[in-house]
Amino acid sequence: MQDLSSQESAQVSIDEAVVSGILSARIRPGTRLSENEVASLFNVSRTRVREAMMRLEQRGIVKVSPRRGWFVVEPSAEEATDVYAARRVIEAGLLASMNHLSDIGRETLHAHLTEEKAAIAAGDRQRLTCLMGDFHIRIAELSGNPILVEILRDLTARTILISLIYQSDFHAMQSHLGHCRIVTAMEEGDFEKAAALAVEHLDEVETGLDLTRRPDPLADLRRSLSLPPQVPNATHKTKP
Amino acid sequence: MQDLSSQESAQVSIDEAVVSGILSARIRPGTRLSENEVASLFNVSRTRVREAMMRLEQRGIVKVSPRRGWFVVEPSAEEATDVYAARRVIEAGLLASMNHLSDIGRETLHAHLTEEKAAIAAGDRQRLTCLMGDFHIRIAELSGNPILVEILRDLTARTILISLIYQSDFHAMQSHLGHCRIVTAMEEGDFEKAAALAVEHLDEVETGLDLTRRPDPLADLRRSLSLPPQVPNATHKTKP
DNA sequence: CTTACCCATCTTGTATGCAAGATTTGTCGT
DNA sequence: ACGACAAATCTTGCATACAAGATGGGTAAG
């Protein structure tokens, strides 16, 4: 996660670098990933970049616009609701299927909640985004099922992209409390309740989205120029 | 699905052909997929075959053995249990999250059960394998969530590979009855019960596996020579 | 000033070439 | 008859070359 741009960048897989960049909210939805640029960053030929992109496309993380380029996906409103629905199904099923919380599991979750609290106190928004997603991956890891972990990791990545598009202001404290409630239910051994809370939590987050927003193709430039984001109707066509 | 070997085979995607071959149990686990051979079958260059293989690998359907070749996966016993566990989680979560069975949904499911019955009557085992998997995909489709459909399709493909390795004799009627029970519960509007039945059903099928079997690397040759399958200790090392 | 059009440039799509490693087969020695 | 060794063959890994399409900028016409 350190020196991706180093010329010696040898063992860092392209796939991991992109996913990690998304999970930590360093890469925004719609970001263009030029085969040539990525290739030179990793000191490999386009071939390997393309292979990575194909895999990432299969995972729903990037998309190709024919002969135009590869872009980090910008989930549509419909896709966003699909992602949340899928997460509700899988995470609820996962929690409901559990019947025991191991000691190290409890420790892991508590450590995570502590980190969340620290990030809230520090006001580190990027780190918070990352942690909020990680929580659900931690839970998946408790199942010990790598298939589910993989699925939820990718869905989490898409969730982060979604929130970067549609979330005007996210209430970190609310999410944190949701996580706390889930963990409490798990500690009580009431996994049905935990499942219900997870569904509720995901509903809350989804409700907090503004799905009427269109992804802003100028976001990058806007940010570079330090302009306020998403002024509703600021096109030049004002001619009364 | 017809003329893959036709020289004019144009619009059939390689990915789909492989997956469809697995879902219909025409391709066995461990089958070698040579880049050159596939390329000439589809009248394309190795490049596109490799791209397809990369995607299929990401989906857990093929694996590459470095500098040796691409092979349809032969899930280990551990992977097999992971696949079934994941299916239990997702399918149970899916059913539990439903609250309504539409009319066309009911029709679709009934039509499917009728097909199952017909295949049992006809004794068409290959078709049965295909239908048994399709049932769960049909249910996923009821959710209208393409993400879940895709996930379950791939898990079903792996399930079929698993049963080809570890299932000595599969009790079609038992599975069929399991499906019938699930549909009945859904028609009663009792989706919690349907979820529980789905878990039970998947447990039954998983229990029916003989996970001590090792995948037989000589299966293809054995079948070609019309030899009895899986003679336990038939190595040449018999020297008393 | 606006609009239409064309060409230079940049992007991916696909094929091909070459190198490195694995496997197999044939041969030789015991 | 058996086992070891070596060369030939086949496999993927990766880079590169070239073609086709998309984009953007400049120019000329209205």
Side-chain angles (χ1 to χ4, degrees):
Chain A
M1 198 184 286
Q2 306 77 312
D3 56 334
L4 295 189
S5 54
S6 151
Q7 286 179 348
E8 314 296 330
S9 78
Q11 308 310 41
V12 191
S13 105
I14 299 172
D15 307 55
E16 282 176 31
V18 174
V19 172
S20 137
I22 291 174
L23 286 174
S24 58
R26 278 173 299 159
I27 301 182
R28 292 191 55 84
T31 302
R32 181 205 183 94
L33 296 173
S34 154
E35 290 183 3
N36 276 320
E37 290 179 12
V38 176
S40 62
L41 279 178
F42 284 84
N43 284 103
V44 294
S45 87
R46 279 178 51 216
T47 306
R48 296 188 56 187
V49 177
R50 276 183 72 77
E51 291 174 353
M53 291 298 165
M54 298 277 170
R55 284 187 295 262
L56 290 171
E57 184 177 41
Q58 192 65 52
R59 294 166 67 179
I61 288 175
V62 306
K63 255 204 162 329
V64 64
S65 177
R67 307 227 182 238
R68 282 182 15 87
W70 295 90
F71 301 88
V72 175
V73 293
E74 300 181 286
S76 68
E78 195 179 354
E79 286 163 344
T81 64
D82 284 343
V83 167
Y84 274 98
R87 285 189 58 185
R88 273 192 297 269
V89 163
I90 297 176
E91 297 190 30
L94 183 55
L95 285 170
S97 79
M98 292 180 66
N99 44 29
H100 173 71
L101 177 58
S102 72
D103 285 349
I104 69 157
R106 210 183 53 241
E107 269 182 55
T108 308
L109 292 179
H110 272 169
H112 181 90
L113 292 180
T114 306
E115 276 197 87
E116 282 189 5
K117 210 175 297 183
I120 290 182
D124 186 344
R125 176 158 177 171
Q126 208 173 46
R127 173 141 191 73
L128 255 170
T129 309
C130 184
L131 284 171
M132 290 298 161
D134 262 6
F135 174 75
H136 300 265
I137 301 183
R138 292 286 161 288
I139 287 188
E141 285 168 346
L142 291 185
S143 75
N145 190 322
I147 298 176
L148 290 172
V149 173
E150 206 177 293
I151 291 173
L152 278 178
R153 198 209 323 102
D154 292 349
L155 286 177
T156 300
R158 290 166 86 169
T159 303
I160 289 178
L161 295 174
I162 289 167
S163 61
L164 285 178
I165 299 179
Y166 299 109
Q167 201 170 51
S168 35
D169 49 355
F170 83 128
H171 308 92
M173 197 41 117
Q174 192 190 21
S175 279
H176 175 65
L177 288 179
H179 293 176
C180 289
R181 276 195 289 270
I182 293 172
V183 171
T184 303
M186 292 174 73
E187 286 180 316
E188 291 168 355
D190 191 345
F191 293 98
E192 287 295 342
K193 183 178 168 193
L197 285 172
V199 170
E200 196 180 308
H201 168 60
L202 287 168
D203 269 332
E204 267 180 15
V205 181
E206 184 179 0
T207 308
L209 299 179
D210 175 10
L211 291 178
T212 62
R213 281 203 183 184
R214 297 300 310 145
D216 179 6
L218 306 177
D220 279 357
L221 182 54
R222 215 182 287 278
R223 209 170 41 258
S224 304
L225 299 177
S226 308
L227 293 179
Q230 280 286 109
V231 183
N233 248 347
T235 329
H236 182 45
K237 294 289 184 192
T238 32
K239 190 183 284 185
Chain B
M1 198 183 289
Q2 307 75 314
D3 56 332
L4 293 190
S5 53
S6 149
Q7 287 179 346
E8 315 295 331
S9 78
Q11 308 310 42
V12 191
S13 105
I14 299 172
D15 307 56
E16 281 176 32
V18 174
V19 173
S20 138
I22 292 174
L23 286 174
S24 58
R26 280 173 298 158
I27 301 182
R28 292 191 57 83
T31 302
R32 181 203 183 93
L33 296 173
S34 153
E35 290 184 4
N36 276 320
E37 290 179 13
V38 176
S40 62
L41 278 178
F42 284 85
N43 284 102
V44 294
S45 87
R46 277 178 51 216
T47 306
R48 297 187 55 188
V49 177
R50 277 181 72 77
E51 291 175 353
M53 291 299 165
M54 299 277 169
R55 285 188 294 262
L56 290 171
E57 184 177 41
Q58 191 65 51
R59 295 167 65 179
I61 288 175
V62 306
K63 254 204 162 330
V64 65
S65 177
R67 309 236 179 229
R68 282 181 16 87
W70 294 90
F71 301 88
V72 175
V73 293
E74 300 181 286
S76 68
E78 196 180 354
E79 286 164 344
T81 64
D82 283 342
V83 168
Y84 274 97
R87 284 189 59 183
R88 275 193 295 270
V89 164
I90 297 175
E91 297 191 30
L94 184 55
L95 285 169
S97 80
M98 292 180 66
N99 45 29
H100 173 71
L101 178 59
S102 71
D103 286 348
I104 69 157
R106 210 182 54 242
E107 270 182 54
T108 309
L109 291 180
H110 272 169
H112 181 89
L113 291 180
T114 306
E115 276 196 88
E116 282 188 7
K117 210 174 297 179
I120 289 182
D124 185 343
R125 176 159 175 170
Q126 208 173 45
R127 173 142 191 70
L128 255 170
T129 309
C130 184
L131 284 171
M132 289 299 162
D134 261 6
F135 174 74
H136 300 265
I137 301 183
R138 292 285 161 286
I139 288 188
E141 284 168 346
L142 291 184
S143 74
N145 190 324
I147 298 176
L148 290 173
V149 173
E150 206 177 292
I151 292 173
L152 279 178
R153 197 208 324 101
D154 292 348
L155 286 178
T156 300
R158 291 166 85 169
T159 303
I160 290 178
L161 294 174
I162 289 167
S163 60
L164 286 177
I165 299 179
Y166 299 110
Q167 201 170 49
S168 36
D169 49 355
F170 83 129
H171 308 92
M173 199 39 119
Q174 192 191 22
S175 279
H176 175 65
L177 288 179
H179 293 175
C180 288
R181 275 195 289 270
I182 293 172
V183 171
T184 303
M186 292 173 73
E187 286 179 317
E188 291 168 354
D190 191 345
F191 293 97
E192 287 296 341
K193 182 179 168 192
L197 285 172
V199 170
E200 195 180 307
H201 167 60
L202 288 168
D203 269 332
E204 267 181 14
V205 180
E206 184 180 358
T207 307
L209 299 180
D210 175 10
L211 291 178
T212 63
R213 281 202 181 183
R214 298 299 311 144
D216 178 7
L218 306 178
D220 278 358
L221 183 54
R222 213 182 289 277
R223 210 171 40 258
S224 304
L225 300 177
S226 307
L227 293 178
Q230 282 285 108
V231 182
N233 247 348
T235 328
H236 182 44
K237 293 289 185 192
T238 32
K239 189 183 284 185

